[in-house]
Amino acid sequence: MNIINFDHNASTQVSPLVLARINEIYSFGANSSSSHGLGRKAAMIIEGARQDLSNALNAANYEIYFTSGGTEANNMALFSDDFEQIFYAKFEHSSVYNVRPRNCEIIDFAVDSNGVIDLNDLQNKLAQTKSPNFLVSIMLANNETGAVQPLREAAKLVHRKGGLIHSDLVQAFGKIRVDLEDLNLDFATVSSHKINGPQGVGAFLVRRGIDVRPMIFGGGHERGKRSGTMNNAAIAGFGVAIQELEEKFSKLNKIRELRDFIESEIKKIGGQNVIFFSQNVLRTPNTSYFALRNADSQTQLIHFDLNQIMISAGSACSSGAIKASRVLQSMNIAPEFSNAIRISLGCNNTKDEALRFIEIWKEFHDKIIKK
Ligand code: PLP
């Protein structure tokens, strides 16, 4: 039986065109800093990918620095200056949440039960800022719930107080339209492997005119902001994945329908014992996050794994201890529903796969409910 991949928010498979491009680039070894012909060719390929990214995000007014992925780009944002205060909600990805620059006060603001930031709480917290030297970081789409955040409104509040706003766009990019000018962001983060590009490459975008401090020093690559020999093949592959986004956007409705079909079937089986998170707010179309009353998410994950279905549990197992999801904690979800599973669909998932998922979920449900 083929493996069913319902875990595309974790990572995606590179597309055939991306793979072909990566192979092509690896067939000639060149350093994009070299001034000979092959070096210039590599540099041109990188600039092409940079332009692709700029076009996709309406980022002509932004500097784009290629990084090793979303994690590094998020770190670059939070370490870009000696901020006195950094604001973020508890539901941010660990590559924001675990960044605690020295001598910087971290302030968190509330998230409502739908997984959307509380703008009033943000405004109240910002009212107490002592100086404009602060940064607010808000992901556009949450990786667990898919909930889309009111970034434009948040940016207004931040700018009114003279601060800067960063957004982790990793889970939104390629799933909803993103326009940096429209959102009025100062910094943004994207990652290639969530959009069928290769792993190990991403980008940090900075509004022109804002000076950022590098985190990695060396030969002065990326205009001095991110040293290290450029990852030509990965960047070129990322560029192709970006070019393929338009085609993917045309399939998003089909993905949404499949997600909604799964949710309605699960609801028919689970009734009052199942809840779907962020179902009543704008969500990325491929993501569904739900909990069965008192069902352990790790056991569920294993049950699906044994049946060759890849999903994700909304809790992380670290050093053998299972921690409740920070995202659900931020939403104040009742303990009996705080053990959730996430499915995240991709363009190639089919109705047959959805039916198989529902069948396997029903097996699990029946065991739990009969207990
Ligand atoms: N931000 C979000 C919301 C993510 O989902 C991820 C990856 O899981 C990252 C950042 C990190 O990106 P990368 O894996 O490229 O370091």
Side-chain angles (χ1 to χ4, degrees):
M1 196 195 308
N2 286 339
I3 289 178
I4 297 176
N5 183 357
F6 274 7
D7 198 18
H8 292 82
N9 285 6
S11 201
T12 55
Q13 191 181 18
V14 292
S15 76
L17 281 181
V18 170
L19 192 56
R21 185 71 168 147
I22 291 172
N23 276 329
E24 180 198 336
I25 306 294
Y26 271 131
S27 68
F28 72 95
N31 189 320
S32 63
S33 301
S34 302
S35 33
H36 52 62
L38 279 184
R40 291 200 306 277
K41 181 174 167 183
M44 267 177 56
I45 288 165
I46 288 168
E47 291 321 306
R50 209 186 303 276
Q51 190 58 52
D52 289 330
L53 184 55
S54 174
N55 295 345
L57 291 170
N58 191 21
N61 290 324
Y62 291 76
E63 296 286 351
I64 296 175
Y65 305 112
F66 286 113
T67 64
S68 62
T71 298
E72 185 188 333
N74 279 344
N75 272 258
M76 279 182 87
L78 273 68
F79 284 115
S80 65
D81 202 348
D82 289 320
F83 296 113
E84 283 174 36
Q85 294 174 311
I86 298 182
F87 297 74
Y88 49 73
K90 206 174 177 180
F91 71 2
E92 288 296 326
H93 188 262
S94 310
S95 54
V96 167
Y97 185 78
N98 287 336
V99 181
R100 313 273 161 129
R102 233 179 279 162
N103 303 322
C104 173
E105 187 185 7
I106 304 291
I107 300 172
D108 79 76
F109 48 91
V111 170
D112 68 19
S113 58
N114 282 314
V116 177
I117 56 162
D118 180 338
L119 283 171
N120 286 330
D121 191 48
L122 175 61
Q123 187 168 19
N124 291 339
K125 299 262 164 73
L126 290 177
Q128 291 158 31
T129 51
K130 297 169 213 119
S131 95
N133 184 19
F134 69 88
L135 177 77
V136 176
S137 183
I138 304 170
M139 58 188 0
L140 179 53
N142 184 267
N143 43 304
E144 289 182 22
T145 61
V148 175
Q149 306 302 316
L151 259 196
R152 206 179 296 113
E153 293 74 6
K156 271 189 207 143
L157 298 177
V158 172
H159 290 145
R160 210 177 287 154
K161 293 290 290 177
L164 295 172
I165 181 160
H166 162 252
S167 182
D168 174 346
L169 304 176
V170 168
Q171 292 292 345
F173 187 41
K175 298 182 185 121
I176 56 172
R177 300 268 178 195
V178 185
D179 179 325
L180 293 197
E181 287 295 344
D182 178 51
L183 294 172
N184 204 4
L185 298 177
D186 299 302
F187 305 124
T189 292
V190 289
S191 174
S192 150
H193 73 103
K194 309 288 183 175
I195 64 157
N196 301 93
Q199 294 173 343
V201 61
F204 178 45
L205 294 100
V206 179
R207 184 187 286 288
R208 285 191 212 282
I210 301 175
D211 192 25
V212 291
R213 188 173 49 203
M215 278 199 322
I216 300 178
F217 297 85
H221 307 75
E222 295 295 80
R223 283 141 291 141
K225 300 303 182 192
R226 203 283 184 178
S227 287
T229 301
M230 305 298 287
N231 189 344
N232 302 341
I235 293 169
F238 187 18
V240 174
I242 295 165
Q243 287 166 17
E244 291 185 309
L245 281 183
E246 274 312 312
E247 194 195 328
K248 209 174 288 166
F249 276 123
S250 68
K251 295 180 180 161
L252 285 182
N253 264 342
K254 194 199 107 200
I255 293 180
R256 187 195 312 275
E257 278 168 23
L258 202 57
R259 190 266 318 263
D260 292 350
F261 168 72
I262 293 171
E263 288 191 346
S264 69
E265 293 301 304
I266 296 287
K267 188 72 191 167
K268 278 184 208 159
I269 301 164
Q272 296 303 312
N273 288 320
V274 65
I275 56 172
F276 297 91
F277 302 108
S278 303
Q279 204 181 27
N280 302 320
V281 294
L282 191 61
R283 276 185 298 171
T284 43
N286 75 321
T287 305
S288 179
Y289 194 35
F290 54 98
L292 176 64
R293 194 190 299 273
N294 293 327
D296 174 50
S297 52
Q298 294 296 328
T299 316
Q300 244 180 118
L301 193 135
I302 293 164
H303 177 74
F304 280 107
D305 198 29
L306 290 173
N307 285 286
Q308 311 273 54
I309 301 176
M310 294 195 292
I311 59 155
S312 154
S315 53
C317 185
S318 74
S319 329
I322 294 169
K323 289 195 217 144
S325 148
R326 241 190 309 109
V327 176
L328 294 182
Q329 280 177 24
S330 74
M331 294 161 66
N332 278 321
I333 298 302
E336 69 262 36
F337 286 113
S338 63
N339 245 309
I341 58 167
R342 176 190 73 188
I343 59 167
S344 46
L345 308 179
C347 289
N348 296 328
N349 285 133
T350 63
K351 181 95 179 240
D352 281 347
E353 290 176 331
L355 290 168
R356 175 82 181 140
F357 172 84
I358 294 158
E359 182 188 334
I360 300 301
W361 189 83
K362 185 174 183 313
E363 262 178 24
F364 183 82
H365 164 271
D366 291 352
K367 264 190 229 156
I368 294 285
I369 296 302
K370 276 184 199 137
K371 252 189 198 170

